[in-house]
Amino acid sequence: MDDERLPPERMRASDADRDAVARHLGHALQEGRLALDEYHERLDRAMASVTLGDLSPLTRDLPAPPPEVLRPPARRPEAQAPETDRSREWHRRLEPWRGLAAVSVVLIGIWGVTSVIAGGLLPFWPLIPIGFMFVFTFAGALSGAYQRPPDRGQGRSDRPWPPPDGR
């Protein structure tokens, strides 16, 4: 059974193998061992390689880099998670106000254009619709209506299915 195994140079290369060679080439470029055009040529060949045998000639004439160069950078999800949670929280809190801001800009723009056309400042009529929108948006934000995701028709429905009249 072991006689049927492929030699390592004929085994297919993984994305991790190609990435390790790319990091090795980048380290060689930083050290000045490769010119920029040669680095790009080898990097293109590394990304297009299919087997481990295609990858090995790309770094054969380079000294082995320190082990930390070949290892992918360690991710620290616990350090990144609070930031993404914090940004999601701010996004959730500010989302209801986006509509109010957009409508306010449009209404104030219309008021400004009509004031210019009239040749003087008109009464600030956008205050009325903006005021109503502010009150309703503020009430919705206080009630927590914007904390629940909207029902997209998934899950339980109050309507019986199929409808009683067959439609």
Side-chain angles (χ1 to χ4, degrees):
M1 203 56 139
D2 288 341
D3 298 338
E4 296 176 14
R5 295 192 76 149
L6 287 175
E9 63 271 0
R10 291 189 46 210
M11 288 186 174
R12 295 187 72 83
S14 69
D15 289 340
D17 296 328
R18 286 185 278 275
D19 290 344
V21 169
R23 284 190 295 277
H24 189 166
L25 293 172
H27 183 71
L29 176 69
Q30 288 176 341
E31 288 184 333
R33 296 181 191 278
L34 292 176
L36 188 60
D37 57 339
E38 186 179 10
Y39 165 76
H40 283 296
E41 176 189 331
R42 289 186 186 202
L43 184 63
D44 290 340
R45 286 177 42 204
M47 293 299 122
S49 65
V50 176
T51 64
L52 294 175
D54 296 338
L55 289 174
S56 59
L58 301 175
T59 57
R60 187 173 291 145
D61 60 340
L62 300 172
E68 63 270 5
V69 171
L70 294 179
R71 216 176 13 247
R75 291 188 176 174
R76 294 178 38 201
E78 66 279 353
Q80 294 174 354
E83 188 62 36
T84 57
D85 289 345
R86 192 176 303 136
S87 65
R88 283 188 190 133
E89 177 67 19
W90 273 107
H91 180 72
R92 185 189 61 75
R93 287 185 181 185
L94 294 177
E95 183 63 29
W97 300 98
R98 288 179 54 201
L100 174 65
V103 170
S104 299
V105 167
V106 170
L107 292 176
I108 292 171
I110 292 171
W111 170 80
V113 169
T114 55
S115 293
V116 168
I117 291 173
L121 290 179
L122 297 175
F124 191 67
W125 58 265
L127 186 60
I128 296 168
I130 292 172
F132 278 113
M133 285 183 63
F134 176 82
V135 168
F136 291 123
T137 304
F138 187 70
L142 283 180
S143 71
Y146 298 112
Q147 294 179 2
R148 293 183 301 273
D151 182 23
R152 301 271 187 225
Q154 300 158 342
R156 190 175 149 267
S157 174
D158 292 334
R159 287 183 38 209
W161 190 257
D165 59 355
R167 279 190 259 168

